Amino acid sequence: MKDKIKLYKQKKHIHFLCSVAMIILSAFLQVYVIQVFMNPCNLLSSGFTGVSILINKITNLFGYNFSVSFGILLLNIPAALLCYKGLSKRFTFLSCLQFILVSLFLQCLQFDSFFDDLTLNVLFGGFLYGVSIVLSLKADGSTGGVDFITLYVSNKIHKSTWNYVFLFNASMLVIFGAIFGWVNAGYSIIFQFISTQTISYFYNRYEQVTLEITTTDPKKITDAFIKNSKHGMSVISAYGAYSKKPFYICKTVISSYEESEVINCILDVAPDVIINCYKTNHFYGNFYHKPIE
């Protein structure tokens, strides 16, 4: 028992270190996109980072230089306090680490532009900016600010709210366009749309899938599934039209991020089963969601 506890602690420690590494990479990539793809084209980033950049641009019109790095810290700290109460210490720490590193990297690092073409900057920059956010989310953290609030709400209603993030960013860009011109604002909206769709595509924590496992020995399947999951499973008796033999269908609905782990645990005990997996568009009733730790 002591060995199992020790192994669990080691795995948890390694997982935390991997999460920190992903957060560092996320912050580095975010700053890289801002300096290489966005600044040369006068594009505006999303969330509280974008708000900080917008405030910087507005204050420059009046001869003042509002620090973007300071603005990121100033706007994110209250959201972090809200997140600390609603989510967890680990999530809050990783998220705070991310936006603090972004603030630091913006001061310490400098990158030159890569493309001269505005369209290429929008396309590649939007995608990579979305990837930087996905990295932080996959590490069970966030990029702070709006992400704090979005994940807090998503965890309460168990639905993705990234499209609402896009609406918030679009509203901010309307203000940007009214002051600094609609061309750059229009390209910035496309930039944010690409990044938001990238997040929705790669981060699917709140999507659900249905598994149908065809087997002649349902006990093996149900025992392995219950041991490795907190979801329920139904066992349905069936009859083969071709083989004329009885068999069973084990059916369950799980979160998409659990799919690989659940399938592997089933194949470990019954490698000859048939597994059919398909997306669940609507699910009504009690459904277990693993909390963000």
Side-chain angles (χ1 to χ4, degrees), residues 212-219 235-250 273-274:
E212 289 182 347
I213 303 101
T214 303
T215 180
T216 56
D217 187 359
K219 189 176 187 308
V235 180
I236 305 168
S237 297
Y239 183 79
Y242 180 79
S243 67
K244 309 299 182 184
K245 295 180 180 179
F247 62 90
Y248 299 90
I249 297 176
C250 302
V273 299
I274 298 173

Side-chain angles (χ1 to χ4, degrees), residues 28-289:
F28 177 84
L29 183 58
Q30 188 174 351
V31 171
Y32 180 81
V33 172
I34 290 172
Q35 295 187 353
V36 173
F37 297 101
M38 297 179 59
N39 288 346
C41 300
N42 195 27
L43 300 174
L44 198 64
S45 62
S46 61
F48 285 179
T49 300
V51 173
S52 299
I53 295 173
L54 180 59
I55 294 174
N56 171 265
K57 291 180 179 295
I58 293 173
T59 55
N60 283 336
L61 294 176
F62 298 95
Y64 298 99
N65 184 26
F66 178 81
S67 171
V68 175
S69 296
F70 175 73
I72 290 172
L73 297 177
L74 183 66
L75 293 172
N76 276 284
I77 289 174
L81 295 174
L82 172 65
C83 176
Y84 176 81
K85 296 178 180 179
L87 293 170
S88 71
K89 294 180 181 178
R90 182 180 185 277
F91 175 82
T92 307
F93 169 78
L94 291 173
S95 301
C96 289
L97 177 63
Q98 204 280 345
F99 71 72
I100 289 172
L101 287 175
V102 168
S103 178
L104 179 64
F105 289 164
L106 282 172
Q107 292 288 332
C108 301
L109 301 179
Q110 187 65 45
F111 301 102
D112 296 325
S113 61
F114 194 81
F115 294 117
D116 294 326
D117 185 76
L118 177 59
T119 302
L120 289 176
N121 278 303
V122 170
L123 294 176
F124 282 90
F127 173 73
L128 291 176
Y129 198 87
V131 171
S132 72
I133 296 176
V134 169
L135 282 171
S136 65
L137 296 174
K138 291 284 188 180
D140 291 332
S142 76
T143 56
V146 176
D147 292 342
F148 274 140
I149 300 169
T150 298
L151 285 175
Y152 175 80
V153 174
S154 294
N155 219 34
K156 293 292 184 183
I157 66 176
H158 304 312
K159 291 183 179 180
S160 175
T161 56
W162 292 113
N163 287 329
Y164 295 102
V165 175
F166 172 69
L167 291 176
F168 168 81
N169 292 327
S171 301
M172 179 177 61
L173 288 166
V174 167
I175 299 173
F176 174 64
I179 299 174
F180 298 99
W182 294 108
V183 174
N184 288 328
Y187 276 111
S188 296
I189 290 176
I190 297 173
F191 176 96
Q192 296 306 330
F193 178 78
I194 294 172
S195 65
T196 302
Q197 293 306 306
T198 301
I199 297 167
S200 296
Y201 182 81
F202 287 104
Y203 186 72
N204 48 14
R205 180 180 179 88
Y206 298 101
E207 290 184 0
Q208 297 159 335
V209 295
T210 298
L211 293 183
E212 289 182 347
I213 303 101
T214 303
T215 180
T216 56
D217 187 359
K219 189 176 187 308
K220 276 186 182 180
I221 307 301
T222 54
D223 288 348
F225 179 77
I226 292 172
K227 183 179 179 181
N228 293 275
S229 174
K230 293 188 177 182
H231 298 286
M233 174 175 278
S234 300
V235 180
I236 305 168
S237 297
Y239 183 79
Y242 180 79
S243 67
K244 309 299 182 184
K245 295 180 180 179
F247 62 90
Y248 299 90
I249 297 176
C250 302
K251 192 169 184 177
T252 185
V253 178
I254 60 175
S255 296
S256 57
Y257 68 88
E258 300 172 294
E259 179 184 341
S260 178
E261 182 181 352
V262 169
I263 289 177
N264 286 334
C265 84
I266 291 173
L267 292 177
D268 284 342
V269 298
D272 59 337
V273 299
I274 298 173
I275 301 177
N276 181 26
C277 178
Y278 51 91
K279 184 178 179 180
T280 300
N281 292 322
H282 302 284
F283 181 89
Y284 302 96
N286 292 328
F287 186 84
Y288 172 78
H289 280 277

